[in-house]
Amino acid sequence: MALLTKAPRGTQDILPAKIAPWQAMERELIATAQRFGFQEIRTPTFEHTELFNRSVGDTTDVVQKEMYTFQDKGDRSITLRPEGTAGAARAVIEHGLLAEALPVKVSYLLSCFRYEKPQAGRLREFHQFGAEMYGSASPAADADLIALASQALENIGIREVSLEINSIGCPHCRPVYLQALREYFGARQDQLCPTCRERLGKNPLRILDCKNPDCAAIAAGAPLVLDHLCGDCREHFDGLKARLDAMGIPYTVNPRIVRGLDYYTRTVFEFVSSGIGAQGTVCGGGRYDGLIQELGGPQTPALGFAMGLERLLLVLEAQGNPPAQGERCDLYVAPMGENASVRAFQLVNLLRAEGYYGETDLMGRSLRAQMKYADKLGCRFSLVLGDNELETGEARLKDMETGESLPIPLGEGFLEEFDRRMAARAYAQLEQSIQEELAGE
Ligand code: ATP
Ligand code: MG
């Protein structure tokens, strides 16, 4: 029975009391993406398993261990998306977007599924904001994308995050580097974990990413990819750095970042926060010039990033940012009796249609209990409706903070008077905050 009242391991409910920071963050992310020309794309929650095998890559942890894969009733192998890049790439190929004006820029907010060991900042269902760009091979595109990630993080209030960049070369120079890695790790095989021993043949780059401390210690002395770049890749990397410098986006070159997914070429980057422990990578991305063709599309250079929203919220919390607040109720109408209740509905819905947040009694509470409830909602104004008010057609609109109460007509002129009081209240608050700022100087 406990199964009925307990969410599956690694998932979490986002309850109404905690939704405001999510909504604020999501709004800001989408708005920032729009200013960079990235339009939102929405793709299915599940795809054919083959898509992820191909695009994420057979040798990655994601494909080898973490995917939620099942046969559907039509006997297809289906997988809940572990990330957003593959679905977006599939969609732009399927719908021919790459034949239109390039570059194509898309962004998304979605939930992802990975069968991992749950811990702080690591869930089985988590959320990502991501952006992808198709069609430009220029380092200007890399700079554009990194600038978006950087501004997005800043706009949602993330401080003290460091950008680390690297280039992992292209199909021309990578084989030489992989050979150097094979030789280096091959000579130290017996000290590697079993998974890495397997990676040695298939994809030695992965070993650099292994979280096993023994492997990490050996990897620390491995040959550096930056020493093996071809002229074109070096020039590309320099072009990116020049633009980041020009925009004043600080970064460090970290030759150890290779990223967990198979499809990356040239630029790879991570934004890392120091404040939340081991799961400090809040954003990861890079260029994947071979992927679109690998999936059956036209040869198209591409790049993208994804950030984990749960981790971003952990960082905001660790920074001590006050959590974003939800909407406050503008008016609570407290009726006494049946007739008043009917009239209260009329008034409250009038306000709602005007864009205000209005509330009235649905519980048959006493007046006292209603006022307590209105306080709890943090209502700006309240209004008591009794027989007397219904008879005279006039009530008193009470400011819940100052206690000040002024007459308001219930019929004609109700909305106008309420607008006026809201405006006056906003003005008074603005004036007060200016006074406070002046006093503080
Ligand atoms: P990690 O090294 O932490 O496992 P990753 O390389 O697997 O990360 P990506 O596939 O690049 O991560 O996903 C992009 C971002 O999504 C990560 O930087 C992280 O913020 C977030 N993320 C990845 N896996 C999880 C998870 N299981 N739970 C919560 N967030 C996650
Ligand atoms: Mg991972």
Side-chain angles (χ1 to χ4, degrees), residues 293-370:
Q293 196 169 33
E294 174 74 19
L295 295 180
Q299 167 48 39
T300 308
L303 59 164
F305 69 72
M307 29 183 95
L309 301 191
E310 283 81 0
R311 286 188 200 176
L312 293 175
L313 285 172
L314 286 178
V315 174
L316 290 177
E317 243 171 64
Q319 285 178 182
N321 291 34
Q325 295 299 312
E327 283 288 297
R328 276 182 70 183
C329 181
D330 295 312
L331 175 65
Y332 184 88
V333 179
M336 294 188 295
E338 176 62 13
N339 289 343
S341 170
V342 172
R343 189 67 192 270
F345 269 89
Q346 186 197 25
L347 293 175
V348 159
N349 273 292
L350 203 62
L351 283 183
R352 290 169 175 168
E354 280 296 297
Y356 290 115
Y357 171 6
E359 193 58 281
T360 183
D361 179 51
L362 302 175
M363 301 300 295
R365 288 190 171 100
S366 70
L367 184 60
R368 223 179 105 88
Q370 287 194 58

Side-chain angles (χ1 to χ4, degrees), residues 61-62 66 114 116 122 211 311:
D61 280 355
V62 171
E66 299 171 2
R114 297 186 191 179
E116 297 200 71
R122 198 176 288 288
K211 299 202 165 102
R311 286 188 200 176

Side-chain angles (χ1 to χ4, degrees), residues 149-204:
S150 166
Q151 278 200 21
L153 291 171
E154 187 169 338
N155 289 347
I156 61 174
I158 303 282
R159 319 257 170 266
E160 293 183 24
V161 69
S162 59
L163 166 62
E164 304 187 353
I165 63 172
N166 191 21
S167 174
I168 56 170
C170 68
H172 298 297
C173 50
R174 181 108 44 97
V176 184
Y177 177 59
L178 292 185
Q179 192 47 41
L181 280 184
R182 270 194 201 100
E183 278 164 24
Y184 174 83
F185 287 121
R188 294 157 182 84
Q189 268 200 62
D190 42 335
Q191 301 164 57
L192 296 174
C193 75
T195 323
C196 281
R197 245 172 275 155
E198 234 172 82
R199 286 169 172 152
L200 194 54
K202 282 191 281 185
N203 193 348

Side-chain angles (χ1 to χ4, degrees), residues 69-210:
T69 298
F70 60 96
Q71 297 294 119
D72 74 4
K73 290 189 177 15
D75 217 25
R76 300 171 193 90
S77 181
I78 293 293
T79 294
L80 302 184
R81 63 178 168 225
E83 49 96 62
T85 301
R90 197 254 323 123
V92 298
I93 297 171
E94 180 172 343
H95 301 287
L97 300 194
L98 301 176
E100 294 169 19
L102 297 176
V104 172
K105 294 172 159 190
V106 300
S107 71
Y108 51 78
L109 274 170
L110 42 74
S111 52
C112 300
F113 307 86
R114 297 186 191 179
Y115 194 77
E116 297 200 71
K117 191 165 167 247
Q119 50 201 285
R122 198 176 288 288
L123 291 121
R124 290 183 175 171
E125 179 180 13
F126 63 99
H127 298 79
Q128 283 189 344
F129 166 71
E132 316 282 341
M133 189 190 322
Y134 312 93
S136 172
S138 162
D142 305 57
D144 198 44
L145 187 82
I146 291 176
L148 164 59
S150 166
Q151 278 200 21
L153 291 171
E154 187 169 338
N155 289 347
I156 61 174
I158 303 282
R159 319 257 170 266
E160 293 183 24
V161 69
S162 59
L163 166 62
E164 304 187 353
I165 63 172
N166 191 21
S167 174
I168 56 170
C170 68
H172 298 297
C173 50
R174 181 108 44 97
V176 184
Y177 177 59
L178 292 185
Q179 192 47 41
L181 280 184
R182 270 194 201 100
E183 278 164 24
Y184 174 83
F185 287 121
R188 294 157 182 84
Q189 268 200 62
D190 42 335
Q191 301 164 57
L192 296 174
C193 75
T195 323
C196 281
R197 245 172 275 155
E198 234 172 82
R199 286 169 172 152
L200 194 54
K202 282 191 281 185
N203 193 348
L205 210 55
R206 273 295 79 67
I207 304 176
L208 298 175
D209 216 13
C210 184

